[in-house]
Amino acid sequence: MNILVLNCGSSSLKFQIIDTDLDLIEKDADHQRAKGIIERIGSQSLVTLQASGKPAQKHAAPLRDHKSALDYVVRWIVSADAQIPGIRSLGDIHAVGHRVVHGAEKFTKSMIITDEVIDGIEDCIDLAPLHNPANLKGIYAARELFGLGVPQVAVFDTSFHSTMPDTSYLYAIPYQLYRRHKLRRYGFHGTSHRYVTYRYRQITGIPREKVHIITLHLGNGCSACAIRDGNSFDTSMGLSPLEGLVMGTRGGDLDPAIIEFLSHKEGMSIPEIDALLNKQSGLLGLSGLTNDMRELLEEEREHNDRRASLAVSIFVQRVKKYLGAYLAEMNGADAIVFTGGIGENSPTIRNRICSDLGWFGITIDETANASLKQGTEGAIHAGDSKVQLYVIPTNEELLIARDTVRCVKDAPRRW
Ligand code: ADP
């Protein structure tokens, strides 16, 4: 089956076409046929389209909304220009899988999209005002384009974390606020944490219920997850993706008193403070230069930039803090898995995170770490390390495509 995987942001649309079915999943033989991204929807959009194994095509086009963007993508997919094997017309797309950020307590697994599910996703808008409306735009656009005959599936970022116990998900604020508003921690990046946990199981042959690891998704957004007995036990993001680690433009954990302080001293409104914490903080805010880790490491290395160096050090220290917390919460772990743009590609950051953790039985093999090819899977722990260290590139799109097939075929999810 050809599955169109869609990931819609407020002004962007990312897609992949993945050829998969139950048999291909079993053989781990499913594969990507095409991918692309449309940025700056609403003005002169930047379009990048690529059929697998062929060079990327870049265009500019005035695309006013998500519907026009999806229309543009689909016209390219079926065009002679794209030449995607096995796809000649709209009828060759058999189902659509959507990344949906917030499923709250309502959606603990991936769902075929019905009117009821759409209502449920709309109900979660209060909890994810930036993300869920964009995801819904993608769902509406795909419904309009493909009609109701093509099944659509929602895969939620939060659902992997639905196994967290109340001791992990409750904030220590009056309990009735949880009762009244479902105000609690939900966690995000669930599809990524779930995918690398599945790959870890494949690599090691450890059965699901014996998986006892910490996964670190370090990209532009960053989160850590403590996985106990194969399930998410705790994670660093909370009610929103703002909590936890230091990220590209989000500060992660901070004292909530800062909000009142900013409102008094800087005369800022709540939306202004929200923008400051989401878009101007983290690596960008600390360095005053960029949210891009690669550039910060370059600044540190080549110009000895003090603020770049400070931003990187605070980033690393926060990850160490969470590692310590999760090792304590779970009474140790068998492995730590690195993923996301930084986790997959930066031996320097992996090395700095794992240095001086000998007391915990964590020792990195610096040569293996430095020589691991970017974007590949591999072990980077020293022979005598009690805790194993792995780099596993994430593949959220593959997991969304596989969940879509399983939902459409009504087959059970096994991981
Ligand atoms: P997103 O969360 O937007 O999907 P990614 O997972 O692609 O982001 O991660 C982007 C981050 O990964 C950026 O900070 C980028 O600088 C960083 N990154 C990518 N490659 C490297 C590298 N070789 N060294 C250091 N950081 C890198």
Side-chain angles (χ1 to χ4, degrees):
M1 292 174 77
N2 292 313
I3 310 295
L4 175 64
V5 175
L6 289 181
N7 179 356
C8 291
S10 54
S11 64
S12 69
L13 179 155
K14 287 190 209 161
F15 75 92
Q16 285 195 14
I17 297 174
I18 294 178
D19 178 22
T20 179
D21 61 30
L22 295 178
D23 194 39
L24 291 171
I25 295 174
E26 196 66 43
K27 296 185 183 130
D28 209 12
D30 32 12
H31 61 279
Q32 184 201 84
R33 289 191 187 278
K35 66 174 180 180
I37 176 164
I38 300 192
E39 293 160 289
R40 293 200 209 152
I41 295 173
S43 60
Q44 187 67 356
S45 309
L46 303 173
V47 183
T48 309
L49 305 163
Q50 185 171 26
S52 296
K54 300 200 179 118
Q57 308 174 13
K58 289 184 189 275
H59 312 273
L63 301 171
R64 64 178 186 286
D65 53 20
H66 286 74
K67 165 83 179 29
S68 334
L70 185 60
D71 216 41
Y72 191 95
V73 165
V74 169
R75 268 190 283 122
W76 173 76
I77 288 172
V78 299
S79 70
D81 198 24
Q83 286 195 18
I84 304 169
I87 299 185
R88 271 184 229 100
S89 70
L90 215 56
D92 293 321
I93 300 290
H94 303 113
V96 184
H98 294 266
R99 173 186 183 212
V100 178
V101 168
H102 218 307
E105 287 188 344
K106 211 179 199 107
F107 299 114
T108 57
K109 60 180 176 47
S110 303
M111 303 288 292
I112 295 248
I113 298 175
T114 57
D115 288 344
E116 215 183 345
V117 168
I118 290 182
D119 288 346
I121 297 172
E122 277 179 353
D123 288 345
C124 301
I125 286 179
D126 275 354
L127 294 169
L130 296 178
H131 297 99
N132 275 28
N135 304 151
L136 280 164
K137 281 183 190 163
I139 293 171
Y140 292 134
R143 266 197 167 191
E144 217 176 307
L145 211 75
F146 291 98
L148 292 177
V150 175
Q152 297 196 52
V153 170
V155 178
F156 300 90
D157 266 18
T158 45
S159 62
F160 181 64
H161 302 299
S162 65
T163 51
M164 283 197 292
D166 50 6
T167 48
S168 295
Y169 72 65
L170 283 176
Y171 289 110
I173 55 177
Y175 190 79
Q176 58 269 30
L177 290 170
Y178 165 63
R179 283 237 181 90
R180 219 180 296 151
H181 305 292
K182 297 286 174 214
L183 179 53
R184 50 160 280 184
R185 311 183 61 255
Y186 289 95
F188 298 87
H189 287 148
T191 316
S192 177
H193 291 295
R194 189 177 137 210
Y195 177 78
V196 297
T197 305
Y198 149 76
R199 279 299 306 159
Y200 168 79
R201 280 184 44 214
Q202 281 202 319
I203 297 167
T204 57
I206 294 173
R208 184 177 195 279
E209 61 286 358
K210 298 237 163 89
V211 172
H212 211 60
I213 61 175
I214 298 169
T215 51
L216 297 173
H217 179 107
L218 307 177
N220 217 350
C222 299
S223 68
C225 185
I227 292 165
R228 194 166 86 170
D229 307 329
N231 294 321
S232 173
F233 175 77
D234 202 354
T235 191
S236 58
M237 285 176 165
L239 173 74
S240 82
L242 202 49
E243 191 180 337
L245 303 178
V246 175
M247 315 179 208
T249 58
R250 296 182 206 130
D253 293 338
L254 47 80
D255 183 341
I258 288 176
I259 295 168
E260 216 224 327
F261 187 94
L262 285 174
S263 123
H264 260 61
K265 295 278 181 188
E266 297 268 325
M268 292 173 81
S269 65
I270 293 289
E272 283 168 342
I273 296 172
D274 194 58
L276 177 126
L277 298 178
N278 272 295
K279 300 193 176 132
Q280 297 150 33
S281 300
L283 295 175
L284 173 66
L286 282 167
S287 70
L289 291 172
T290 173
N291 62 331
D292 192 292
M293 179 60 88
R294 201 170 6 192
E295 288 176 21
L296 288 175
L297 290 171
E298 232 169 79
E299 283 298 324
E300 190 185 36
R301 199 173 50 237
E302 282 166 26
H303 304 115
N304 215 2
D305 188 278
R306 192 186 71 81
R307 296 253 307 269
S309 181
L310 186 65
V312 176
S313 299
I314 294 174
F315 177 95
V316 167
Q317 183 168 328
R318 186 77 58 83
V319 176
K320 279 177 177 275
K321 207 167 179 171
Y322 269 88
L323 282 180
Y326 289 168
L327 288 166
E329 278 186 5
M330 298 203 293
N331 191 17
D334 294 327
I336 296 167
V337 176
F338 290 89
T339 195
I342 300 171
E344 291 166 26
N345 299 310
S346 178
T348 310
I349 296 294
R350 294 194 299 255
N351 201 23
R352 279 161 80 161
I353 290 171
C354 296
S355 69
D356 299 324
L357 293 180
W359 187 83
F360 290 93
I362 298 172
T363 320
I364 194 164
D365 177 337
E366 289 190 24
T367 314
N369 180 43
S371 57
L372 187 73
K373 219 172 119 222
Q374 283 197 1
T376 58
E377 209 168 75
I380 54 166
H381 48 273
D384 60 351
S385 183
K386 204 163 89 185
V387 179
Q388 300 186 326
L389 304 169
Y390 287 95
V391 178
I392 302 182
T394 194
N395 196 342
E396 293 159 281
E397 291 79 9
L398 182 67
L399 212 153
I400 292 172
R402 288 180 170 187
D403 265 15
T404 302
V405 166
R406 292 187 186 109
C407 283
V408 169
K409 300 269 184 198
D410 205 15
R413 178 189 126 183
R414 282 189 283 135
W415 40 267

